[in-house]
């Protein structure tokens, strides 16, 4: 690690799975008994907003009962102690990285504990339900929706992510399937920019072959060991 200064870490559902948060899809292609097409697209929201809002209200409530695990805490320690540049780009919409203490976090797919007003474009902290169409705290319109990037929508802050990848000496992918783009392509972007690449995942991802090194096992074990290795303690 002596030549490594700038690190970009991509985290996916596998980081939060051991905190009791379901991974995005199970083997049947369902997400908590719903088809993704019914709850995670703009078309679904236009077709049946009550179904979508009820689904995300349940998710938002559940997220607040979960706790960070050892993988979140290890990454927070790395964030705290690493003196070079570091960016944790997460596909997750929970707040467990932040609750563990991490500061340098970018949520590319949005956040459960935010709401987005489609009338005034404000994004506001939100912990309660949206089903009853509450007024936007900024403009007063009843136009709030989950601040979540749905399929067919552009992930947040892609320019900042690519800028970090361009400067990275090391790219680490943790707990992600390698199936959802554009995040699945970050390893190739990092390699093109000259970074070393490492996968930490429960099992080989769809993009394992693109990594210089891959380690497989539970995130709580792998991430903790890797952070200790990086920090030399």
């Amino acid at each position: 690690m002596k030549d490594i200064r700038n690190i970009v870490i991509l985290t996916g559902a596998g980081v939060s799975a051991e905190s009791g948060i379901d991974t995005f899809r199970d083997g049947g292609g369902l997400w908590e008994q719903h088809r993704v097409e019914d709850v995670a697209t703009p078309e679904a929201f236009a077709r049946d907003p009550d179904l979508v809002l009820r689904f995300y209200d349940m998710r938002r409530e559940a997220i607040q009962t979960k706790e960070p695990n050892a993988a979140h805490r290890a990454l927070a320690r790395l964030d705290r102690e690493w003196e070079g540049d570091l960016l944790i780009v997460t596909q997750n919409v929970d707040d467990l990285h932040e609750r563990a203490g991490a500061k340098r976090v970018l949520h590319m797919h949005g956040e459960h504990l935010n709401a987005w007003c489609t009338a005034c474009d404000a994004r506001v902290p939100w912990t309660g339900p949206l089903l009853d169409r509450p007024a936007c705290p900024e403009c007063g319109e009843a136009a709030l929706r989950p601040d979540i990037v749905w399929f067919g929508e552009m992930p947040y802050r892609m320019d900042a992510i690519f800028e970090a990848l361009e400067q990275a000496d090391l790219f680490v992918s943790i707990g992600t399937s390698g199936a959802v783009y554009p995040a699945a392509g970050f390893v190739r972007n990092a390699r093109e920019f000259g970074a070393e690449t490492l996968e930490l995942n429960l099992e080989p991802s769809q993009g394992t072959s693109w990594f210089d090194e891959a380690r497989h096992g539970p995130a709580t074990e792998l991430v903790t060991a890797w952070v200790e290795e990086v920090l030399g303690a």
Side-chain angles (χ1 to χ4, degrees):
M1 293 293 297
K2 59 183 176 61
D3 297 324
I4 301 296
R5 177 161 182 81
N6 300 335
I7 303 175
V8 175
I9 299 170
L10 173 69
T11 67
V15 168
S16 294
E18 291 175 81
S19 290
I21 297 176
D22 288 349
T23 53
F24 192 73
R25 295 177 188 247
D26 66 20
L30 297 177
W31 186 24
E32 296 190 359
Q33 308 309 310
H34 290 275
R35 295 191 316 147
V36 170
E37 296 82 359
D38 291 336
V39 293
T41 66
E43 293 79 11
F45 187 55
R47 181 172 60 248
D48 193 344
D50 282 1
L51 172 65
V52 174
L53 292 175
R54 189 178 297 111
F55 176 81
Y56 282 96
D57 284 354
M58 292 172 58
R59 296 279 295 173
R60 191 179 307 106
E61 182 179 9
I63 288 292
Q64 296 176 70
T65 70
K66 309 302 182 184
E67 296 294 334
N69 62 48
H72 297 110
R73 292 192 294 271
L75 291 175
R77 179 192 171 199
L78 181 66
D79 182 26
R80 201 166 49 244
E81 299 182 17
W82 185 253
E83 295 182 355
D85 287 342
L86 181 139
L87 180 63
I88 300 171
V89 178
T90 186
Q91 298 171 278
N92 298 338
V93 293
D94 61 62
D95 65 337
L96 297 185
H97 282 306
E98 289 88 347
R99 277 200 269 151
K103 306 293 186 185
R104 292 181 277 185
V105 182
L106 187 161
H107 285 267
M108 65 179 294
H109 290 161
E111 301 179 62
H112 267 313
L113 301 185
N114 274 1
W116 172 31
C117 180
T118 57
C120 71
D121 202 35
R123 285 175 168 81
V124 295
W126 200 269
T127 57
L130 291 173
L131 182 60
D132 55 356
R133 309 303 199 276
C136 170
E138 298 293 327
C139 72
E141 293 292 324
L144 295 175
R145 57 158 271 188
D147 188 18
I148 302 295
V149 176
W150 289 326
F151 284 91
E153 296 180 330
M154 180 62 68
Y156 295 157
R157 300 184 62 193
M158 291 300 295
D159 288 348
I161 294 171
F162 282 118
E163 182 177 344
L165 289 170
E166 188 172 4
Q167 301 300 319
D169 303 307
L170 175 65
F171 171 75
V172 186
S173 177
I174 303 172
T176 181
S177 66
V180 178
Y181 284 83
F186 289 169
V187 60
R188 278 174 276 185
N189 301 133
R191 285 172 62 101
E192 290 169 1
F193 290 134
E196 296 182 29
T197 56
L198 170 66
E199 174 177 87
L200 306 176
N201 206 42
L202 184 61
E203 57 190 21
S205 73
Q206 292 187 22
T208 293
S209 62
W210 287 99
F211 289 88
D212 296 319
E213 181 184 357
R215 305 176 189 179
H216 299 127
T220 50
E221 297 176 11
L222 292 182
V223 178
T224 301
W226 174 70
V227 169
E228 290 178 352
E229 176 185 321
V230 168
L231 295 176

